[in-house]
Amino acid sequence: MHIPGHFVAALCTTGGRANVSRRCALLIFSFAQASFLNPPRVRAQEPYHLDLAGEYQPYRVPGIDERMLCGPCGHSASTTQQQVNRLRYEVHIGNPGDHLFDLTLRIPAALGKLTLHLPATTPGDMGFKQHARYIDHFRATGEQGRALMYERVGAQSWNVEVPSPSEVVVTYRIHMNERDILRLGSNGLGLNGGFLEGSSVFLYADDHMNDPVEVRYKLPEKWTVVTPLPSNQPGVFTADGYRSLVDAPVQFGEMQERDVPVDDFRVRLVFDRPLPPYDSVAFDANVRAIMRQQIALFGAKPFSGYTIFIHWRPDLDYGGGIEHGRAMVLNVGSKWMLNLPVNAAGTIAHEIFHAWNGEAFHPTELDRWNFADANYSSHLWFVEGVTSYFASLTLVRSHLHSTDQFFEVMSRTMTNYENDPGRGWTSLAESGIATWISSPDALDYYGGGEVTGFLLDLALRLETDGQRGLDDVIRSLYDQSRKLGYRGYDDSQLRASVSAIAGHDMSAFFDRYVTGRDSIDYASILSRAGLRFSRQRDPEGQVRVVIAPLEEQTPLQARIWSKILR
């Protein structure tokens, strides 16, 4: 079924009802709605960003304490301590046809019990992945290769008995995740290459989350490897902690690449295999336009380079994407190829925008990710839905969509949101909890957040004589995220940021549309903003919403739309 805006949910149903409350990894851009064993060769991307003074600074992933960082950041104590505490992983692929990843972890351990886990969840992916169902041949050894006693103590946890302080070597295998059809948040492996998302393969220990990490890849001859992590030698990459490690997707194999120059940096396009013929010039131009528009909105970017990993998936009709701090993964389905530059634009705009909303600034409750359990958040409507709203704005502001197309998208988004089975039963704030259990009355926070973000933008502009809006809110949140010690925003801080832009307390808006469950009074806001609004119900009880600009608008209304759609 279609979910609000220009995305549709795919391949996930619960009790006969499409589950539209999963993250971007389960979203696909609707064509129907679109209107237009040797060390591998290395390509790495330096993890730095521009600070407020225009200087390059080390990139910090949410959840990592600056005081604990190592390597190029220079915040750790001594080089000796870094070497002692360094976690070293090795990923070995022997026969790709076996669909197996052979892993080795070397980890310093104190006397007693070492507890290791494989994540049950993936940062930003609001659902249980249960990666540990694909692990086998777990083995632990100590000094001189002596076998250590171990015990599996949970679905994704193992205790290893360490007789004396030493380096523990753990070997295990990860089978390719065949159940994850989209394979955006897990892994895949074929004869010509593969892909992995770090949380699907790398064990972790709670006491070593901030230790520096080294990963070595041993791959078939002629295979290359691409990841946003820095590299100091062929086939070896480093990260300043576990969260940084798993926020960097890895592509390897016989790939194709090309660069899209965007002013002072480049976007790297990495293709797992050749795509059918398409207009690559138009595709690259759209990527460049989207990047420029979003960077101009914020005035700065949280990356010095960006990578788009592109997977050709003829087994899928459409496509989809998943975001990371300095990269995104894009599935390309067969119907997208009918006009790839147009059909992929919405997903690309959405995922790139997450580099700011969701990655750079984010809710406090998501700052330190719990890899073992659910990560509840009452702000997914803002992380995902407002991102969807700005993806739509990006397309029209970049002249990739017309103004009419923008209003058509918003009309469909409102229609789908009003017909959501969770409307009236679950609030947007509660939707971030319900999504973890696929509740029958779970609410789509993508579409709901897009609608609410749209209404909030209009409300702010009406309150400020058209001068300020949601653009100013997200710029303020980004500025806050660039301060040392940032740990995300809570509900009171988000409300305060919005109220500061409005010039008065906006709690009533949040109480009604975010934490409340009442129906939305569209007409009162839309009519004041110069929009025509109609709402009809068909014989089956389904609502259809249509909005369009009035032909004659007041100076304030004209000013509002010149700011929003500029």
Side-chain angles (χ1 to χ4, degrees):
M1 72 179 271
H2 290 285
I3 70 169
H6 45 272
F7 298 100
V8 296
L11 304 171
C12 184
T13 59
T14 302
R17 171 178 175 264
N19 178 4
V20 294
S21 301
R22 300 290 298 278
R23 75 180 309 233
C24 302
L26 297 184
L27 297 181
I28 58 179
F29 186 78
S30 169
F31 175 78
Q33 295 185 16
S35 52
F36 43 101
L37 274 190
N38 290 326
R41 290 167 285 171
V42 175
R43 296 290 301 278
Q45 178 177 302
E46 291 300 319
Y48 293 89
H49 66 86
L50 287 171
D51 66 9
L52 291 170
E55 300 293 331
Y56 281 103
Q57 299 294 339
Y59 175 83
R60 187 186 69 80
V61 176
I64 302 299
D65 191 330
E66 292 92 340
R67 295 168 297 177
M68 303 294 290
L69 295 180
C70 301
C73 302
H75 294 293
S76 64
S78 68
T79 302
T80 301
Q81 287 177 316
Q82 291 182 30
Q83 292 173 345
V84 170
N85 294 329
R86 184 178 297 275
L87 275 62
R88 293 179 292 157
Y89 296 88
E90 182 178 282
V91 181
H92 176 231
I93 298 174
N95 181 5
D98 292 339
H99 294 169
L100 281 173
F101 300 89
D102 288 293
L103 274 293
T104 300
L105 166 62
R106 300 177 183 274
I107 180 171
L111 170 67
K113 186 180 297 181
L114 170 66
T115 302
L116 298 171
H117 316 272
L118 194 65
T121 61
T122 294
D125 191 340
M126 306 306 164
F128 289 100
K129 304 297 287 188
Q130 302 296 357
H131 297 300
R133 65 168 50 135
Y134 303 104
I135 189 173
D136 69 1
H137 292 196
F138 184 99
R139 184 172 184 263
T141 59
E143 292 180 324
Q144 299 178 346
R146 294 175 181 173
L148 299 180
M149 298 292 294
Y150 69 87
E151 178 186 14
R152 190 164 192 166
V153 293
Q156 62 262 354
S157 303
W158 293 258
N159 282 341
V160 179
E161 298 296 334
V162 184
S164 62
S166 62
E167 181 180 72
V168 172
V169 180
V170 179
T171 58
Y172 57 100
R173 303 190 310 181
I174 296 290
H175 293 254
M176 173 180 161
N177 187 342
E178 304 277 3
R179 300 187 186 188
D180 185 359
I181 298 176
L182 296 180
R183 295 199 292 277
L184 288 169
S186 56
N187 55 67
L189 184 59
L191 295 179
N192 296 316
F195 165 83
L196 65 83
E197 196 281 335
S199 64
S200 71
V201 300
F202 294 124
L203 289 167
Y204 71 93
D206 291 329
D207 295 338
H208 294 267
M209 296 298 285
N210 294 320
D211 289 356
V213 175
E214 177 184 285
V215 185
R216 183 182 302 271
Y217 289 89
K218 295 180 65 177
L219 306 175
E221 189 177 3
K222 297 183 179 179
W223 281 22
T224 57
V225 59
V226 178
T227 179
L229 293 175
S231 175
N232 295 322
Q233 56 181 297
V236 181
F237 300 86
T238 59
D240 55 29
Y242 187 83
R243 183 72 180 264
S244 298
L245 172 66
V246 300
D247 195 43
V250 183
Q251 187 78 43
F252 39 80
E254 301 178 42
M255 301 170 289
Q256 295 183 344
E257 296 187 47
R258 71 170 182 269
D259 289 347
V260 179
V262 184
D263 302 325
D264 62 341
F265 74 105
R266 65 188 176 117
V267 177
R268 294 167 54 198
L269 306 181
V270 181
F271 300 82
D272 66 342
R273 49 181 165 163
L275 294 176
Y278 68 101
D279 189 341
S280 61
V281 174
F283 184 90
D284 293 3
N286 288 358
V287 169
R288 184 180 298 107
I290 289 168
M291 270 292 187
R292 282 176 171 164
Q293 177 58 231
Q294 295 188 357
I295 293 170
L297 173 62
F298 287 99
K301 58 186 185 297
F303 48 77
S304 60
Y306 196 86
T307 303
I308 302 179
F309 297 96
I310 300 173
H311 297 171
W312 169 224
R313 294 295 303 277
D315 55 315
L316 301 177
D317 283 341
Y318 301 101
I322 188 172
E323 81 281 355
H324 292 271
R326 303 181 301 282
M328 65 168 289
V329 183
L330 183 71
N331 276 347
V332 174
S334 58
K335 291 185 178 180
W336 265 17
M337 293 307 305
L338 296 174
N339 191 346
L340 183 61
V342 171
N343 296 334
T347 298
I348 292 173
H350 183 106
E351 306 304 348
I352 291 176
F353 197 84
H354 270 311
W356 290 271
N357 187 13
E359 292 280 343
F361 58 91
H362 51 271
T364 301
E365 61 268 25
L366 299 182
D367 187 69
R368 295 186 179 274
W369 188 262
N370 182 352
F371 288 92
D373 206 346
N375 289 260
Y376 299 125
S377 173
S378 60
H379 299 99
L380 297 187
W381 70 273
F382 197 89
V383 174
E384 295 293 355
V386 169
T387 291
S388 291
Y389 175 57
F390 275 99
S392 295
L393 288 182
T394 296
L395 297 186
V396 70
R397 290 171 174 178
S398 302
H399 307 293
L400 303 181
H401 269 187
S402 68
T403 298
D404 289 344
Q405 289 166 341
F406 171 79
F407 288 114
E408 289 171 4
V409 165
M410 293 310 305
S411 296
R412 285 192 295 269
T413 305
M414 292 178 179
T415 294
N416 288 336
Y417 184 50
E418 288 304 304
N419 290 314
D420 191 300
R423 288 287 290 118
W425 300 100
T426 302
S427 70
L428 271 180
E430 295 169 329
S431 63
I433 299 174
T435 187
W436 283 91
I437 58 173
S438 299
S439 171
D441 59 1
L443 188 68
D444 170 28
Y445 49 76
Y446 286 88
E450 185 170 4
V451 170
T452 304
F454 176 52
L455 296 178
L456 180 58
D457 197 4
L458 295 180
L460 288 171
R461 295 185 186 280
L462 288 168
E463 294 288 345
T464 61
D465 196 35
Q467 297 304 314
R468 296 187 296 277
L470 201 53
D471 289 7
D472 301 278
V473 173
I474 61 170
R475 278 194 290 262
S476 173
L477 291 172
Y478 180 49
D479 288 344
Q480 295 170 35
S481 76
R482 302 170 78 189
K483 298 177 181 179
L484 188 65
Y486 177 76
R487 287 293 175 262
Y489 58 82
D490 60 21
D491 190 63
S492 63
Q493 291 168 326
L494 179 59
R495 292 183 181 219
S497 295
V498 172
S499 298
I501 298 302
H504 67 86
D505 189 4
M506 290 289 289
S507 292
F509 182 96
F510 283 81
D511 293 343
R512 180 166 188 176
Y513 298 121
V514 177
T515 61
R517 303 181 184 88
D518 294 341
S519 60
I520 298 176
D521 184 9
Y522 290 106
S524 64
I525 295 180
L526 299 182
S527 61
R528 291 171 57 205
L531 295 181
R532 183 173 59 254
F533 169 79
S534 68
R535 174 190 174 113
Q536 299 176 340
R537 191 176 295 274
D538 65 22
E540 296 181 354
Q542 295 293 294
V543 172
R544 183 172 183 267
V545 174
V546 176
I547 63 171
L550 296 173
E551 294 181 0
E552 296 187 6
Q553 296 185 334
T554 67
L556 171 59
Q557 293 167 346
R559 186 159 56 250
I560 286 173
W561 291 108
S562 69
K563 294 284 188 178
I564 291 178
L565 302 178
R566 53 183 166 77

